Amino acid sequence: MSNPCRPLSVPLSVLLSVLLALLALPLAAPGARASGGGAGAGIETARTGRQVAPGVRLESYDRLEADRWLRIDELDVDLAAAGRAGGARAEYLGGRGVATVADAAARHPAGPGRRVVAAVNGDFFDIRGTGAPLGPGIGAGRLLHAPSPGAGQAVGFGADGAGRVLDIALAGTVTLPGGAVRPLAGYNTARPPADGFAAYTADWPAAELPALGPVVDLRDGRVTAVRAAARAAVRRPAAGTTLLVAGGAAAAELAALRPADAVAVRARPVAAGGGPLPVGALGGREALVVAGVAQDHEGEPNNAAAPRTAVGFSRDGRRLRVVTVDGRQRDSGGLTLTALGRLMHRLGAYEALNLDGGGSSTLLAALTGEPGLTLENFPSDGRPRPVPNGLVLTAPAGSGKTAGYRIEPVGGVARAFAGLGRTLRATAYDTALGPVASAGPAPVWTAEGGGARVDSGGVLRAARPGRLAVHVRGGAARGTLGVDVLGPPARIRAVPERIGLAEQGEGARFEVTGHDAQGAAAVIEPRDVTLEFDRSQWAVAEDGRGGFTVTARVPWAAGRLLASVRGVSAGPAELALGVGLSDRPLADLEDADRWTGPGSGAGEGHPGRGLALTPTADGGTAAAAPPRPLPVPELARSLSLQVNGDGSGARPAVEVTDADGGVATLRGPAVDWTGWREIRLPLPAMAERPFTVTRISAAAAAAAVAARGPAARLLVDTLAARTPPTGSARTPAAPDPIVATADQVRARPWRFTVEPAAEGRGGTDRPGAKDGAGADFALNGADRPPFVHRGVRFLPLAAARRTLDGGGLARIGALRAALAAAAREAGTGAVAVVQPYAPQAVDRKEAALRLHLLAEFRRATGKRAAVITVGAPRFAAGRSEGVLAVEAPRGGRTLIGADAHATGDWLSVRPDVVPGTVLGASR
């Protein structure tokens, strides 16, 4: 789920003010490092927001910290009117076993005249047992389940809608025959007490009860059955039936009960410390903000950086904040509890509580005019996890009559190519931003500017590039969308360019994307695309979202698909296709003696030689790194490894590094077998491909470590990748127009060169005497201060530190400062970023953010921008979103002519040509 940079949607007339505001955002010092995953030391990089319902607003934003990226979603809810029919309310969600938040929200009864507008996951739960929540739950004023020991904290909402953080306990009794009264120690509790009585009713929030001893069935205050300890799982009681269980000394009293005995069970919640009881409550765990003070959780077991869900309240309880922070992803590293508390405090929380996080973190919100909810965050499991409960927001339903229209392009941003179609969809909404009961007559579409027209189906076609406005009208209701129309596509490509399918009948999605002469991109819809492919092997259909779905007709094949655009001279895009998985060897381990690491060495293979891994009995890990990293095919689904088990319970693992330098450990099963067996290790879906294998390891079983037993010894052999058969689909691109002849370069008003640093000298030479080629100066590094020369502000950016080692924060801070200066300088017509070739230091999100800032600077000021890379493996030149890119090779000199105030391109580039050089365009 990669999301490198959420685009800003800002009218062109105010882009400059937005840019300058962005540049003015606070930034940590270049050497700053986040402490324990704390949000606050970095910068906000993108933000979107929308009104979900009256009184409910969603804000989503990305941040760059010194040591991580963060992706945060927050609901800001006004509870002031919740006690009346006109406001938003928070209610308990779930109560019938684990389900995704979306499924639970779809079943939630919002009540007459109300609708569900948002939902979030809730309490920690018995994830390896019944799946029941550990904390308390109150719905519609009724106790649904009491907390397990030590899990009484909750967020509660009163009859007036106001919220607070409180502790909820159980007050209950069991009245036995003869009048003896005993305390009730558990009520629908996930972990029943070891001593005392516990009761379970139809409100039990899971499908099956926890392991129980003897059980007494009660109905209408009478014993109806006495059962021995259950041998099979006990299902949730039927309505009207209570199951009474007991442990410790109470077990004897339970065993003495007989059918028809009178037994009364009473249970009610109490608020610790007194105060009114909430009508709705949801359990949580750690307090994040208490009485306006963010809490310090350093040293506590749950304080590692992770995906998070939290709820906070203003001092009067009338303002609710619901926050999710994505984690365990390269795009978002998650927060510690301490950092989450600081975040909630900055958002205005006087009280805040941590809810279940990790793979459970899920936030959904309604889109304007839509009846259902949309997933807003990116769960770390790659899909929403079923959970037992949550928090749901309801709001008054509107009139159901059309009050306005939300317009959105199908399958992408609001961009179109001149002469090509772009489908727009109008969704009607009522006065409360909810769905309409009947859309009525089809709305009327119109367009202003660009010689554009929109047909009755919402398909826009514009005659020329520029900014235009599309309007839709239905009676008194209106809707408007701004659309950027690009020039005709100069090149097209399939996204992705390679698709590998596992088996016959499996399908995958692709789009055809165009790039105009300035490198600005937009989707090209199926109506304007012609496809050529082998129809005996593949089926291709439009997917209704601006793209296609390709499905394998046969179990094993490899081929290609060509996509061309009608009426466009750009060459076709190529998509490589394959179906059928096979194992591609990565290492046969015959060179096991060259693998290095603790507890490793050569051993007997399967057949031939293999790798022996001997973890130490005190918990040490045996590990071995290959002589050189092993590249994994880009479309591989999983890795396989032959393991000769010793029955010790040790766990083998393979460590891989993704394209951004992130490390993932693929852990195999505990080795409870002897002899050779193949294990399969799925590759992580959330990481950026391709992967590289960097280590194979084995860890001793925890039980063996605790017992100080003999060391395990695993033999492993034949590491392979299971992958489909596809080849390269890259179509050579024509040289970019800035690639020029020597005469064209010399025709520019002035020139500079990019060349390898002289021995003993690095950095960026300041302007000085011209050299033999007439160049004003040479660029040969990125470790000198910024300078301005003949209308160009040069910004050298070093790459000694990785993006998530503080380097990204320092570089983006320097770039914003340079752009702000260039925007103010009347004589400066362009900014040139100079960087060393360092793909392992600058991750894709930093690169995307840099491009975004340069492109917005260009659009807002009308000035130019370029990125010059020094020491690349080969020469390339191109552009994206109007930002020029030059990759100067490490093996020669590149001559660049410049004119910061030229009409058209402001750079002309010529490398030293050597035999075999291809002057291609960068992609």
Side-chain angles (χ1 to χ4, degrees):
M1 295 198 172
S2 122
N3 182 21
C5 189
R6 299 180 184 184
L8 299 177
S9 179
V10 183
L12 186 59
S13 60
V14 297
L15 275 174
L16 179 57
S17 62
V18 171
L19 171 67
L20 294 177
L22 179 63
L23 298 176
L25 285 171
L27 177 71
R33 291 188 57 84
S35 174
I43 56 172
E44 185 177 303
T45 61
R47 178 180 287 262
T48 59
R50 73 171 189 267
Q51 200 69 26
V52 174
V56 182
R57 182 168 180 81
L58 173 69
E59 295 286 336
S60 301
Y61 50 95
D62 294 352
R63 290 182 60 86
L64 171 59
E65 304 289 333
D67 62 349
R68 72 196 59 219
W69 292 94
L70 289 174
R71 194 168 47 221
I72 301 172
D73 296 279
E74 64 179 65
L75 286 167
D76 183 0
V77 186
D78 181 4
L79 298 175
R84 307 187 299 273
R89 288 202 298 257
E91 302 169 5
Y92 183 94
L93 173 67
R96 284 295 180 268
V98 296
T100 65
V101 177
D103 287 344
R107 295 193 298 262
H108 183 76
R114 299 185 69 82
R115 67 185 182 100
V116 171
V117 297
V120 70
N121 70 289
D123 198 1
F124 292 81
F125 60 101
D126 185 17
I127 193 169
R128 293 179 178 83
T130 61
L134 298 177
I138 298 175
R142 188 175 80 252
L143 177 65
L144 302 175
H145 49 89
S148 295
Q153 284 198 296
V155 292
F157 301 87
D160 62 352
R164 62 187 173 120
V165 176
L166 72 164
D167 283 288
I168 294 176
L170 171 66
T173 59
V174 177
T175 303
L176 299 171
V181 179
R182 302 289 183 257
L184 184 66
Y187 182 79
N188 290 331
T189 302
R191 294 173 180 168
D195 190 13
F197 288 94
Y200 292 88
T201 72
D203 285 329
W204 165 248
E208 298 177 350
L209 274 64
L212 303 173
V215 178
V216 168
D217 293 39
L218 305 175
R219 192 170 184 88
D220 297 328
R222 296 282 177 179
V223 175
T224 59
V226 179
R227 292 186 275 171
R231 294 185 178 180
V234 177
R235 306 291 294 178
R236 179 189 302 115
T241 296
T242 298
L243 302 183
L244 191 63
V245 301
E253 292 182 295
L254 183 73
L257 296 176
R258 296 292 179 267
D261 282 350
V263 177
V265 176
R266 301 285 185 270
R268 63 183 179 87
V270 293
L277 278 171
V279 296
L282 175 76
R285 185 175 291 176
E286 297 90 354
L288 301 173
V289 182
V290 176
V293 178
Q295 301 299 289
D296 186 351
H297 291 274
E298 295 304 318
E300 297 179 12
N302 193 28
N303 198 42
R308 297 291 181 183
T309 302
V311 173
F313 301 100
S314 59
R315 187 165 189 165
D316 63 2
R318 301 293 184 181
R319 179 72 63 174
L320 165 68
R321 294 275 189 174
V322 179
V323 174
T324 58
V325 182
D326 292 339
R328 297 175 186 162
Q329 305 167 40
R330 186 70 176 178
D331 282 355
S332 189
L335 288 180
T336 64
L337 290 174
T338 300
L340 183 63
R342 292 198 296 264
L343 171 64
M344 297 303 292
H345 183 259
R346 284 197 304 275
L347 293 176
Y350 185 75
E351 297 179 315
L353 185 66
N354 181 50
L355 303 186
D356 190 16
S360 299
S361 286
T362 309
L363 186 143
L364 301 103
L367 278 171
T368 301
E370 298 286 354
L373 303 182
T374 298
L375 179 64
E376 299 294 341
N377 74 318
F378 293 82
S380 62
D381 289 351
R383 65 182 65 87
R385 173 188 290 176
V387 295
N389 63 5
L391 197 65
V392 65
L393 299 179
T394 67
S399 62
K401 298 178 180 179
T402 302
Y405 292 93
R406 172 175 57 87
I407 308 176
E408 60 182 352
V410 172
V413 297
R415 279 182 172 178
F417 287 105
L420 301 182
R422 193 73 177 93
T423 303
L424 307 176
R425 179 180 293 129
T427 302
Y429 59 86
D430 65 14
T431 51
L433 306 180
V436 300
S438 176
V444 177
W445 293 87
T446 58
E448 291 181 60
R453 57 184 177 82
V454 188
D455 67 19
S456 60
V459 178
L460 166 71
R461 287 187 185 272
R464 56 184 180 272
R467 179 77 173 178
L468 59 82
V470 175
H471 307 284
V472 66
R473 183 182 75 254
R478 301 285 189 273
T480 299
L481 176 70
V483 178
D484 290 316
V485 180
L486 309 178
R491 64 182 178 95
I492 61 173
R493 60 188 292 250
V495 180
E497 294 181 317
R498 302 168 69 211
I499 288 177
L501 304 173
E503 58 190 3
Q504 181 180 359
E506 182 177 317
R509 183 177 189 272
F510 70 95
E511 291 180 348
V512 176
T513 300
H515 298 259
D516 71 3
Q518 290 300 320
V523 67
I524 301 175
E525 295 186 31
R527 69 170 59 82
D528 292 314
V529 176
T530 299
L531 302 178
E532 297 178 39
F533 59 94
D534 186 342
R535 284 170 167 75
S536 68
Q537 296 181 335
W538 319 99
V540 181
E542 299 180 20
D543 68 356
R545 295 183 289 142
F548 302 87
T549 298
V550 58
T551 304
R553 291 184 180 274
V554 295
W556 185 270
R560 66 175 187 166
L561 175 150
L562 296 179
S564 56
V565 179
R566 301 182 185 101
V568 172
S569 60
E574 183 176 324
L575 171 64
L577 296 171
V579 58
L581 298 178
S582 61
D583 287 326
R584 186 175 303 178
L586 303 181
D588 60 12
L589 293 175
E590 290 296 324
D591 62 348
D593 56 346
R594 299 178 59 200
W595 288 58
T596 57
S600 67
E604 182 182 351
H606 185 62
R609 305 183 78 183
L611 180 67
L613 298 171
T614 309
T616 58
D618 61 359
T621 297
R628 65 187 62 83
L630 304 173
V632 177
E634 187 170 357
L635 299 181
R637 299 291 185 95
S638 62
L639 302 182
S640 65
L641 189 67
Q642 295 286 340
V643 179
N644 188 8
D646 60 357
S648 66
R651 294 190 66 177
V654 176
E655 186 177 280
V656 297
T657 301
D658 68 13
D660 282 334
V663 176
T665 301
L666 316 181
R667 303 188 189 281
V671 177
D672 55 3
W673 68 88
T674 58
W676 287 98
R677 180 180 297 183
E678 182 183 77
I679 63 171
R680 291 210 173 271
L681 308 170
L683 288 161
M686 304 294 287
E688 186 71 6
R689 293 172 180 256
F691 296 105
T692 302
V693 174
T694 55
R695 197 169 74 149
I696 299 176
S697 64
V705 173
R708 296 285 177 175
R713 186 173 186 268
L714 300 184
L715 295 171
V716 300
D717 198 1
T718 314
L719 176 67
R722 196 155 182 79
T723 187
T726 62
S728 173
R730 295 188 178 272
T731 303
D736 190 271
I738 65 172
V739 179
T741 66
D743 288 341
Q744 289 171 324
V745 173
R746 284 193 292 268
R748 291 289 188 178
W750 64 279
R751 289 157 298 287
F752 64 96
T753 62
V754 184
E755 55 192 69
E759 186 175 351
R761 185 192 69 185
T764 304
D765 286 350
R766 298 297 301 272
K770 295 181 184 291
D771 67 6
D776 287 18
F777 57 90
L779 295 175
N780 47 42
D783 59 353
R784 295 292 180 86
F787 63 94
V788 178
H789 183 71
R790 299 183 71 170
V792 181
R793 175 170 283 275
F794 286 88
L795 175 64
L797 291 179
R801 295 166 65 191
R802 292 175 178 264
T803 297
L804 300 186
D805 191 29
L809 207 55
R811 287 187 289 268
I812 294 301
L815 175 59
R816 293 192 314 168
L819 294 179
R824 293 190 298 265
E825 295 165 349
T828 297
V831 170
V833 173
V834 182
Q835 63 177 6
Y837 179 76
Q840 297 304 312
V842 179
D843 71 19
R844 60 192 168 84
K845 287 198 72 172
E846 182 187 343
L849 177 58
R850 180 187 302 175
L851 173 63
H852 175 75
L853 290 174
L854 290 169
E856 292 302 308
F857 166 81
R858 177 179 175 271
R859 294 180 184 125
T861 65
K863 300 184 179 187
R864 318 303 183 82
V867 177
I868 300 171
T869 302
V870 181
R874 62 190 62 85
F875 173 81
R879 66 193 72 207
S880 181
E881 300 297 326
V883 179
L884 303 182
V886 178
E887 296 182 11
R890 63 176 70 100
R893 182 172 68 168
T894 302
L895 182 64
I896 302 177
D899 182 356
H901 304 287
T903 300
D905 286 335
W906 65 283
L907 293 181
S908 294
V909 183
R910 185 68 182 173
D912 281 346
V913 178
V914 297
T917 298
V918 177
L919 303 185
S922 64
R923 299 181 68 88

